[in-house]
Amino acid sequence: SSRSHRVVLCAEARIAELEYQQQQQAAAGEGTISSGIARHNFHQRLFVVLLRYKSIQGHGFQAAAGPSVFELLRQQLSVGFECFASPLNANFSRYGSAFPDGDGPFGSAGSFFRMQLKHGSYEVNPPFVPSILTATAQHLLQQLHAAEVAGGALSFVVLMPGWREVEGWQLLNSSDFLRQSVLVAAADHGYCDGASHQRKDLYRQSPYDSGVMFLQTTAAAKKWPVREQLVADLRTAMAECCPTAAAAERQKQQRGQRDLEWQGLVPGTNPGDQQEPQQQQLKKRKKKGGKTPQHQPQLDAKQHTKPGAKQHKRKKVKPSTN
């Protein structure tokens, strides 16, 4: 199959795909190395990637558009490069990523902020962090200005949360390079989970409305026009990335489990609680007067004291007769 367009499937398939890529590279440039050594090198490189992305605890930052979205952009706008991706969720053989030292063997071309792009069609889906969104917008507009002067055909499809108060959003939506802007409701689309290689489900619901902006130089707008039908098809493709009802419920339960783990209310997190069900732990804590997330003591709106607390009457002070 073609290696220019890849789809994230599951842990085993993704790792097998990365291994196949490494085997191709070894066959092309390291043909004298034995298969055993090549496999050992692959495992070392894979360990570095998995450990790096696990340690930053940022799976939400690594969420990606779904395969149907990339297929549409590839067909209609000739998009062939992701500016923000990782070896674990990339849809193309070459992409930009945050850690080129570890990601390089798996196709990373380095940080987007170091790239000087003069022509071509790109997908841009940066981490949903205001400062990064703004830095992305600034760098992207610089590239467009330079390409416009040089007469280059440069096109970007930008996905970001619908945070209209963020400077990055305002910069892109007020740019002369903006050809089309679409706002998709959170309930109407999803993303590939940034940890899909560790999850049972590929998709997760978007927590925010998402904006999709098409920014192009004059030459790019002629070469890859953004038509109304493309916008309609994009909405459909993004809707296909919503998790199923069963997957959404499973993810909701998983989030609840992680919250309980954080609060120390699951078996094995407290001495003596290894075999106790969660409900028994909650009941014991209530009897001991411990606080639980569901039963936080509330302050009385008028008295500003906890319910049941003794009220101390103020002594009346007689007015002075002097």
Side-chain angles (χ1 to χ4, degrees):
S1 61
S2 172
R3 309 301 297 171
S4 62
H5 182 245
R6 305 183 302 179
V7 175
V8 180
L9 297 176
C10 61
E12 293 80 3
R14 187 69 183 115
I15 291 174
E17 188 176 24
L18 292 174
E19 185 171 12
Y20 175 74
Q21 181 184 358
Q22 289 286 290
Q23 290 172 353
Q24 283 189 319
Q25 293 177 359
E30 304 174 5
T32 58
I33 297 180
S34 68
S35 60
I37 294 176
R39 187 173 180 81
H40 174 74
N41 291 341
F42 164 73
H43 285 160
Q44 284 189 324
R45 292 166 178 171
L46 180 61
F47 175 76
V48 170
V49 168
L50 293 174
L51 183 61
R52 174 72 66 78
Y53 284 97
K54 179 71 173 179
S55 66
I56 64 174
Q57 296 292 312
H59 292 142
F61 300 145
Q62 297 299 321
S68 57
V69 175
F70 276 104
E71 182 63 21
L72 176 66
L73 297 179
R74 185 180 67 85
Q75 291 180 355
Q76 300 297 319
L77 299 178
S78 297
V79 171
F81 188 95
E82 291 176 83
C83 293
F84 293 88
S86 80
L88 302 173
N89 71 358
N91 278 264
F92 300 104
S93 58
R94 294 290 283 171
Y95 53 89
S97 76
F99 310 113
D101 56 336
D103 301 344
F106 300 102
S108 172
S111 171
F112 168 71
F113 298 109
R114 293 181 176 272
M115 295 179 185
Q116 300 299 317
L117 306 174
K118 299 179 181 179
H119 54 80
S121 188
Y122 304 85
E123 188 263 5
V124 185
N125 183 16
F128 289 4
V129 179
S131 59
I132 297 179
L133 295 173
T134 299
T136 299
Q138 292 170 340
H139 184 65
L140 184 151
L141 291 175
Q142 289 174 359
Q143 306 297 298
L144 286 168
H145 280 292
E148 182 70 19
V149 172
L154 183 60
S155 176
F156 293 105
V157 181
V158 184
L159 283 78
M160 65 166 55
W163 298 342
R164 303 184 184 187
E165 70 282 3
V166 173
E167 183 183 358
W169 174 279
Q170 297 170 3
L171 286 172
L172 296 183
N173 271 274
S174 62
S175 171
D176 292 336
F177 295 108
L178 183 68
R179 307 299 172 181
Q180 185 67 263
S181 181
V182 183
L183 187 65
V184 184
D188 295 337
H189 72 294
Y191 287 97
C192 283
D193 195 310
S196 59
H197 61 290
Q198 295 177 307
R199 303 280 192 261
K200 183 175 182 179
D201 306 305
L202 175 59
Y203 301 120
R204 71 175 190 179
Q205 196 71 37
S206 175
Y208 313 107
D209 295 349
S210 290
V212 184
M213 286 156 278
F214 300 84
L215 295 104
Q216 300 173 317
T217 60
T218 303
K222 294 178 180 178
K223 188 174 183 179
W224 304 298
V226 181
R227 299 186 173 91
E228 290 299 326
Q229 186 58 48
L230 170 58
V231 173
D233 291 342
L234 179 64
R235 288 184 178 275
T236 301
M238 294 180 72
E240 291 175 1
C241 302
C242 289
T244 63
E249 180 61 28
R250 185 161 46 245
Q251 292 166 12
K252 181 179 178 182
Q253 293 176 358
Q254 289 172 349
R255 286 194 296 270
Q257 180 75 4
R258 286 195 292 271
D259 290 342
L260 289 173
E261 289 173 357
W262 180 262
Q263 296 155 9
L265 296 176
V266 294
T269 58
N270 291 310
D273 286 345
Q274 285 79 0
Q275 304 300 325
E276 280 191 311
Q278 296 167 10
Q279 293 299 323
Q280 291 184 13
Q281 293 181 42
L282 289 169
K283 288 180 181 179
K284 278 191 174 184
R285 292 197 176 195
K286 289 179 192 176
K287 289 180 180 179
K288 293 179 181 179
K291 300 177 183 180
T292 66
Q294 293 81 11
H295 297 84
Q296 293 287 352
Q298 302 293 319
L299 295 180
D300 183 87
K302 295 181 179 180
Q303 302 295 336
H304 299 287
T305 58
K306 295 179 182 179
K310 292 182 178 180
Q311 305 297 319
H312 298 281
K313 294 183 179 180
R314 293 184 178 180
K315 293 183 179 179
K316 293 183 180 180
V317 179
K318 295 181 179 181
S320 175
T321 56
N322 294 334

